[in-house]
Amino acid sequence: MSLDALKSALPDYARELRLNLGSVIGASALPAQQLWGTVLVSAIAARSPIVLRELGPEARARLSPEAYTAAKSAAATMTMNNVFHRTRHLLSDPEYGGLRAGLRTNVLGDPGVPRVDVELWSVAVSAVNGCGLCLDAHERALRTAGVGREVVQEAFRIASVVQAVGVTLEAEAVLGA
């Protein structure tokens, strides 16, 4: 019901988003845990209460408690990492790259689910947050683990549609259309 509620809430000018939302979730080749973890982290990263309210409970119902917690942990930690590494990369002074980060990210080392799942979720969050360094690092980890480009792309396809749905619905809520 929640996926249908989101699709029906989209205005006619965003018809393509409605179709894309149905296809990236409904016709994804990802295994259920990777798919719904990606949906959840993308909804969290999109920062849209509407999207999170609709997709969060469905993700919770489709994920094990461990995977649900691991996905939320990945979203939280990757958001911090994305801001830190994107900022360090954007600063003109290269000396920042040599400084110790001093940020705890232990959850990414022992997530309680397959490492590949967390790497895939990290790609999705990094895509929403626009951190090129993080995207490169997590894509490289996935490719080293034998994950194909099509699977990696599926994560950022989902992230892009979930983000666009959130932006569109938030704009409509403000504009009162």
Side-chain angles (χ1 to χ4, degrees):
M1 174 182 153
S2 53
L3 180 58
D4 290 335
L6 274 181
K7 290 193 303 190
S8 66
L10 286 165
D12 288 340
Y13 70 79
R15 178 180 178 273
E16 287 83 7
L17 287 180
R18 187 179 307 128
L19 297 172
N20 287 332
L21 185 62
S23 68
V24 298
I25 295 176
S28 176
L30 293 178
Q33 180 165 295
Q34 288 181 355
L35 170 64
W36 285 99
T38 302
V39 169
L40 180 60
V41 300
S42 298
I44 291 169
R47 298 173 191 88
S48 167
I50 297 166
V51 169
L52 192 54
R53 187 171 39 250
E54 296 300 328
L55 293 179
E58 192 161 350
R60 183 178 209 144
R62 294 174 183 259
L63 292 168
S64 68
E66 296 80 14
Y68 182 75
T69 299
K72 291 191 311 179
S73 296
T77 302
M78 285 311 303
T79 297
M80 174 188 67
N81 285 346
N82 292 159
V83 171
F84 180 82
H85 290 291
R86 183 180 64 237
T87 302
R88 190 155 72 168
H89 173 73
L90 290 172
L91 287 169
S92 297
D93 185 348
E95 295 296 317
Y96 286 102
L99 298 177
R100 184 177 171 280
L103 299 173
R104 298 181 59 92
T105 59
N106 293 340
V107 70
L108 296 178
D110 184 19
V113 296
R115 182 91 197 127
V116 165
D117 294 0
V118 174
E119 293 292 345
L120 198 64
W121 301 339
S122 297
V123 165
V125 175
S126 298
V128 171
N129 291 329
C131 181
L133 290 174
C134 295
L135 282 166
D136 282 344
H138 294 286
E139 186 269 348
R140 190 170 34 257
L142 285 164
R143 300 288 292 132
T144 299
V147 175
R149 286 181 177 88
E150 295 81 8
V151 172
V152 175
Q153 180 172 289
E154 190 70 11
F156 61 85
R157 281 181 71 231
I158 292 166
S160 68
V161 172
V162 170
Q163 168 75 359
V165 168
V167 168
T168 302
L169 292 176
E170 294 299 318
E172 285 300 303
V174 171
L175 297 173

